[in-house]
Each structure stands twice: as C-alpha cells, then as structure tokens.
Amino acid sequence: MDYKNSEAPLSTITYNREKVENPTGNLYEAIVIMAKRATQINGDLKKELIEKLDEFATHNDSLEEVFENKEQIEVSKFYERLPKPTAIAVEEWLANKTYHRTPDTK
C-alpha cells in the first residue's frame, strides 16, 4: 500500500467515538484492530526505510571516514514527515479499508 499519499493528519485530532466503534459495535475491539494495523504499517515503513538507507551504506570498518550523505538525510527527513502509523490506521479504519473478522464466527 502507498502510505506516502495518505490523507491522515500529521498531528493529533479527536475522532467521533461512535464512528470508531460502529463497524464492530465494541470500542475496545476496534482499538485493538487499529493497533494491529498500525503495527503492520510501521513494519512496512521501517522495512522500506532500511532498504533505502542500505543503498547509501558504506561497508568498511574504518571509523575515520564518517561523512554526511545529503541524499540519506533527505530520505530520513521524508519518512519523518509522513503521518504516524496510528493515524494512517485510524484513517483506513474510518474509510472501511481495513479487513477484520472474528475467528469464532462463521
């Protein structure tokens, strides 16, 4: 999924409790589902960031040559400006883009 084009807010906002709990009927169940989705998003973003930063990595054991790589700094700043995984998960939940099921029900 493309998290870079997310419409999630960059700062904390208040959500309507009824909209959050409406799909499941239980606020706590909805929060658990969103938390699990946020963990998935965080893992995806972390993996993507590490792959991009590995392109700039120097693989020598010398501590004498430590230098700043402007491209590496720009990539890091870009990922820092993205919305937090929890905000993305809440937006996906409110837009009914999150699939969830209860294993007990058939």
Side-chain angles (χ1 to χ4, degrees), residues 9-10 17 20 25 31 38 43-44 47 51 58-60 65 67 70 74 82-83 98-100:
L10 297 175
R17 183 182 58 88
V20 171
I31 290 172
D44 291 346
K47 180 181 174 186
E51 287 174 359
T58 57
H59 299 289
N60 58 4
E65 288 190 33
F67 59 92
K70 290 195 181 273
E74 289 300 317
L82 287 177
T98 303
Y99 172 75
H100 66 92

Side-chain angles (χ1 to χ4, degrees), residues 39 49 67 75 77 98 104:
T39 302
L49 175 62
F67 59 92
V75 168
K77 284 184 179 180
T98 303
D104 298 339

Side-chain angles (χ1 to χ4, degrees), residues 26 32 53 55 57 69 73 83 99:
N26 185 337
V32 168
L53 291 179
E55 295 173 7
N69 189 339
I73 293 170
Y99 172 75

Side-chain angles (χ1 to χ4, degrees), residues 14-60:
T14 304
Y15 294 99
N16 185 347
R17 183 182 58 88
E18 292 174 0
K19 287 184 181 179
V20 171
E21 74 180 17
N22 194 25
T24 60
N26 185 337
L27 178 64
Y28 299 106
E29 186 177 344
I31 290 172
V32 168
I33 293 168
M34 288 184 286
K36 288 181 180 182
R37 179 64 182 136
T39 302
Q40 289 174 343
I41 293 169
N42 189 40
D44 291 346
L45 288 173
K46 185 176 181 179
K47 180 181 174 186
E48 188 176 315
L49 175 62
I50 289 172
E51 287 174 359
K52 288 190 179 192
L53 291 179
D54 279 344
E55 295 173 7
F56 303 109
T58 57
H59 299 289
N60 58 4

